Amino acid sequence: MGSRNRIGFVMNYKCRLTLWLFVLMCTTVGAQVTPHYATVEKYNATLQPFEKHMYLPVNFDAFTLLNSISDSLNDATIKRIDLVYTTYRLDPNFNQALLNNNRTKALLKALPIANDELISWRYVGQTNATTPESAKAMFHGFVVYYQERPSKESVQQEIAFLNSYLKSESVAKPKKSATSSTTNNNFANTLQKAGIPKSIAKSSNITLYNENSKCIETITQIIYGTKDVKDKRIDSIYALENLVGVSQHIEAVPNSVVRKYTIKYQLKKDSCADEPVVIDQTKRVAIPKNWDTKSDFDAVAAVFNRYPNWSNSVVVMDVTGSMSPYLAKTMVWLKATHDSSRIKAFVFFNDGDGKRDKEKVTGKVGGVYNADNTSFKDVYKTMITTMQKGGGGDRPENNLEATIKALALYPNTTEVILVVDNFATPRDLKLAKKIKQPLHIILCGANDKINKAYVQLAYNSGGWVHTLTQDLHLKGMASKTVFSLGNNQFKLMNGRVLLMPSKGHN
């Protein structure tokens, strides 16, 4: 080859290389951005409970963000991002993909935390525009869906949501008798005369239901005794867990200081799933219409239904911020199946009882509470108490600490079910070696991306990963095995779970 030809070859090679690098730079938007593609006539934001969204507009034919990004996003958990544009184009050769990639690069530069492998991305083309004017009138830019860092106020809103949802799901409520209000007032006065404290006697939870209700069992008992005996007996009856209402009749035994007490009390039948539980309803929130459409909020119930042979199990469950829709669905399912429940106990955790992030020491974070599954009311009350004591804080949670405590409290449990937030990687993964029992990990929020840390944890324990629709057993999986979970592909290499590069989905 002559020198001139060699020089021409090198220059031509350099030009091709430069062009290739330029194209690569323009089209590569971020290691974690693998968008789905969708089309709609006109874009409308869709929110789940306690989810917020922020619009970040761009011009019709540009990629520069028009607004600055609020600092509040940097302390939030971003769940999904939609890039919205119009499919209308003036030039049929216009490169929409290149423009969308440049827009995404601009967002990642302005909001680095958006380059997270757990965030779901969609590129959504609007098809209603048919002219330049109609296209420019439509929204172009990003819609960022996120959940704010938990606060005392947000936790109270979540509790109100849970109470409201549980109440709305209570069907076939017992009918009260026509004179129930009068009976209540008379009974409250009777209790006070009998020595019951006023605060208890006038409790709003004292409700006399129709005796014909299929959920109520009425028991009448006759007691003879002195006033001291009577007061003690009434107190003990009032303290019964399933007490719904109580009434009494007192008459003196002739020629004696002893009195005859006819005490009638009504108990909820344990097997009756449609009886409403007495819950404080002082705060209620509206239930969004169709809030659970296309969601995995039923994941816990779905997994238990796929494994009818599970028994003597302990459920370890995250109750930090953003988990309330999953808690709501789980509690409704538990209440409906309580008479045949296969769950021995629940262990709830809130990542530290409101500790500041810098005060959280691995293995000693705290905020872990348990309840034997002997009554739905006890489980629900313990869950609410755990939420009230702390809503989390930063994204990582003390999952493993809670699991270790559960195994210490219930050492003879057969199945350990860990219900987790897919977006919150455990802060205490190094404690996994202390867990000698296979874990069933149910992922909440795994609609698209799967948190690799939980797949690794399941593998290390010889356990399973469960989603709304899938079950994956990792025990004994051979090295170099490639497997799918959700929209992700993983590869096992020498004991390490690796996330494989993925392509966008149409």
Side-chain angles (χ1 to χ4, degrees), residues 135-272:
K136 291 178 181 179
M138 300 182 80
F139 174 76
H140 295 75
F142 298 93
V143 184
V144 181
Y145 295 86
Y146 65 97
Q147 287 183 312
E148 292 182 324
R149 185 184 178 95
S151 64
K152 290 183 178 180
E153 292 74 19
S154 68
V155 170
Q156 288 304 317
Q157 290 175 349
E158 294 199 30
I159 292 173
F161 167 80
L162 286 164
N163 289 341
S164 297
Y165 183 67
L166 202 67
K167 186 177 179 66
S168 72
E169 290 296 303
S170 296
V171 295
K173 299 177 182 179
K175 296 179 181 180
K176 296 182 180 180
S177 63
T179 59
S180 60
S181 59
T182 303
T183 306
N184 262 328
N185 292 334
N186 291 341
F187 178 54
N189 293 333
T190 303
L191 286 179
Q192 288 185 65
K193 291 178 181 178
I196 303 301
K198 182 177 180 181
S199 60
I200 295 178
K202 292 195 173 182
S203 168
S204 60
N205 286 346
I206 297 176
T207 306
L208 298 179
Y209 290 102
N210 188 327
E211 292 183 23
N212 296 324
S213 168
K214 65 178 182 178
C215 292
I216 296 297
E217 180 180 0
T218 303
I219 299 174
T220 301
Q221 188 168 8
I222 297 177
I223 299 175
Y224 293 90
T226 64
K227 183 177 184 298
D228 292 335
V229 174
K230 176 202 68 174
D231 284 348
K232 183 177 180 182
R233 185 59 188 171
I234 291 177
D235 278 338
S236 65
I237 291 174
Y238 185 85
L240 288 173
E241 288 182 352
N242 290 330
L243 179 67
V244 177
V246 58
S247 62
Q248 67 172 0
H249 171 69
I250 303 174
E251 63 180 88
V253 177
N255 304 319
S256 173
V257 295
V258 177
R259 292 186 177 186
K260 173 184 176 182
Y261 306 98
T262 304
I263 302 176
K264 179 172 67 176
Y265 50 100
Q266 299 171 316
L267 301 179
K268 191 191 85 171
K269 296 178 181 178
D270 290 337
S271 60
C272 194

Side-chain angles (χ1 to χ4, degrees), residues 282-301:
T282 56
K283 293 184 178 180
R284 296 193 63 194
V285 296
I287 306 297
K289 186 178 180 181
N290 299 325
W291 63 274
D292 56 350
T293 303
K294 295 182 179 180
S295 73
D296 67 333
F297 297 145
D298 286 301
V300 173

